[in-house]
Amino acid sequence: MALSEFELIDRFFTRIDAGVVERSEPDAVSTANSVAVGIGDDCAVLSLASGERMAVSVDTLVEGVHFLPAIHPADLAWRAVAVAASDLAAMGARPVAMTLALTLPQVDAGWLADFRSGLVDVSRFCALPLVGGDTTRGPLTLSVQVMGALPQDKSLLRRGAKVGDRVVVSGCLGDGGAALALLKGQWQTTPEHQQYLRQRFFRPHPQLVLGQQLLHCAHSAIDISDGLLADVGHIARASGVGIELEATSVPLSDALLSHPDRQQALAWALRGGDDYQLCYTLAESVKLPQGSYIVGRVVAGSGVRCDDGSDRAAGYRHF
Ligand code: ADP
Ligand code: MG
C-alpha cells in the first residue's frame, strides 16, 4: 500500500459530515448536530437529547453477491448508505450518524476518490455524518451502520397495524426489479426511461422525511426491500392481522409501464426488490401524505391476499 492506513482514512473518510461540523462541547445537544466526537479516537461519541432513544441498523454489501464489480464506486457508496438509511426511515427515526466498515482488495486512490464523492453526496442527502469505521484488506465488502434518534414515547414498528387501516406505499414500485433486468440486458427501453431506472437503482432515495412524519400518524411501517408482497407479509405477521392488496392500485412508473409485458411489470412491482419505498398502515381518519398511494386494507385474519385485477370473479390469489 502506497498510503498508510492512517493516511487513507484521513484522506478519504474524514470530513464526511453531512454539512454539519463537529462540536467541541459534548454537552450542548442540538438537533442539527449530535456528533460530539467523530473520526480519530477509539469511539465516536454521539449526543442525544434527554428523553430520546437510539435506533441502530447495519447492512452489508458483498461484491458479486449484492453488487456487480462494474458498479461505479460513487454509486456503490450511495447505494450502501441509502439502503441502510432506508431502515431508519421505516422506523421514523431522525438520522444521527453512520459508521462504515470497508474491506478493500487493494488501495486504489482513484477508486477511493470516486467512492468518497458518492459518500459525501449521500451523507448530505441522508443527513448522516460519517463518525467512524474500520478499514481492512480482503474481498470488497462494505458494512454501513446507521444510527437515528426517536422520542422516548413514540415508535413506528412492523407491529401495530389495525383492522380497517389503509395500506399505503410512498411511491412507484417495481423500478428496482426492472432496472436490474435492464442492467442484465434482459430488456430495453427508451434512453429517458433507462436513465430514470438506472438512477432509481443506483441512487435510491430513502424516505427519511416521510418516515419522521409517519412516526406521528401511522400505525405500522416497513421499507420495501424484498418486494411489496413479502414486506407487507412482515407487517401482517407482526401485527396479527391480514392484509388485502389491490394490485391494480400499485403505482407504476412510466418507465416500468414501457415494458412490453404488463404481467412482468406487475410481478416486479409485487415481488421485485430494491425499491426502498415505505409501506405503512394508516387509520381511515388520517390525511394521506402527499405522493402516497393506497394499495390495500388491513383485515381481520392472517396472511396477504392480492387481487391482481385480471380475474376478479375467480376471487383472490393466495401467496
Ligand atoms: P482502532 O484500532 O481504535 O479501531 P482504527 O485505526 O481502526 O482505530 O481507526 C482509526 C479511526 O478511524 C477511528 O476513529 C475509526 O472509527 C476511523 N475509521 C477507520 N476506518 C474508517 C472508515 N472506513 N470510515 C470511517 N472511519 C474510519
Ligand atoms: Mg479499527
Side-chain angles (χ1 to χ4, degrees):
M1 288 197 188
L3 285 166
S4 74
E5 191 183 325
F6 172 78
E7 288 167 334
L8 186 155
I9 293 165
D10 188 53
R11 181 154 150 205
F12 298 109
F13 297 113
T14 59
R15 299 173 304 282
I16 299 178
D17 55 15
V20 295
V21 186
E22 195 176 323
R23 291 172 15 258
S24 47
E25 354 62 86
D27 293 326
V29 177
S30 84
T31 49
N33 182 8
S34 307
V35 183
V37 177
I39 288 175
D41 218 307
D42 292 315
C43 284
V45 180
L46 304 174
S47 307
L48 295 186
S50 68
E52 280 188 325
R53 296 185 293 173
M54 187 166 264
V56 182
S57 175
V58 65
D59 275 291
T60 296
L61 302 185
V62 179
E63 185 179 67
V65 179
H66 302 100
F67 60 93
L68 300 171
I71 192 171
H72 191 279
D75 289 336
L76 178 60
W78 182 291
R79 209 175 135 73
V81 173
V83 164
S86 181
D87 288 320
L88 288 182
M91 298 295 285
R94 172 173 58 81
V96 167
M98 61 174 165
T99 61
L100 167 68
L102 184 61
T103 304
L104 294 168
Q106 73 266 322
V107 175
D108 174 338
W111 190 96
L112 280 163
D114 287 343
F115 184 79
R116 176 188 170 84
S117 81
L119 263 189
V120 167
D121 292 344
V122 74
S123 163
R124 293 230 170 94
F125 185 86
C126 296
L128 285 169
L130 182 65
V131 297
D134 197 25
T135 308
T136 52
R137 192 192 282 268
L140 183 58
T141 305
L142 299 88
S143 290
V144 176
Q145 183 189 45
V146 290
M147 288 152 279
L150 286 168
Q152 195 76 248
D153 57 346
K154 272 203 164 46
S155 46
L156 180 60
L157 306 175
R158 295 175 179 191
R159 64 170 187 264
K162 293 192 173 42
V163 172
D165 280 358
R166 293 161 295 171
V167 178
V168 183
V169 296
S170 61
C172 290
L173 301 184
D175 290 340
L180 189 60
L182 193 72
L183 291 168
K184 288 181 178 165
Q186 291 167 356
W187 71 291
Q188 286 187 339
T189 181
T190 64
E192 297 77 49
H193 289 330
Q194 286 197 34
Q195 172 64 18
Y196 163 86
L197 289 170
R198 290 179 63 88
Q199 195 71 10
R200 291 273 284 126
F201 186 79
F202 289 119
R203 303 264 164 158
H205 289 184
Q207 301 288 312
L208 289 157
V209 174
L210 176 64
Q212 289 170 84
Q213 246 175 282
L214 296 178
L215 179 64
H216 303 282
C217 63
H219 283 153
S220 65
I222 192 167
D223 71 316
I224 306 176
S225 53
D226 297 328
L228 180 65
L229 286 173
D231 289 320
V232 293
H234 294 309
I235 289 186
R237 216 167 303 115
S239 301
V241 297
I243 286 180
E244 289 180 358
L245 294 177
E246 192 178 11
T248 49
S249 303
V250 174
L252 309 180
S253 68
D254 289 343
L256 185 57
L257 288 171
S258 75
H259 193 280
D261 179 355
R262 183 61 63 94
Q263 280 308 113
Q264 175 61 77
L266 192 57
W268 278 323
L270 294 175
R271 291 190 194 75
D274 292 325
D275 282 322
Y276 303 106
Q277 298 286 357
L278 295 181
C279 177
Y280 55 97
T281 74
L282 207 57
E284 188 72 63
S285 57
V286 178
K287 188 171 176 281
L288 192 69
Q290 237 195 344
S292 284
Y293 301 81
I294 300 167
V295 297
R297 270 290 154 194
V298 177
V299 297
S302 66
V304 178
R305 288 175 290 281
C306 184
D307 173 358
D308 75 0
S310 60
D311 187 6
R312 282 163 193 272
Y316 290 114
R317 218 160 69 194
H318 294 256
F319 290 90

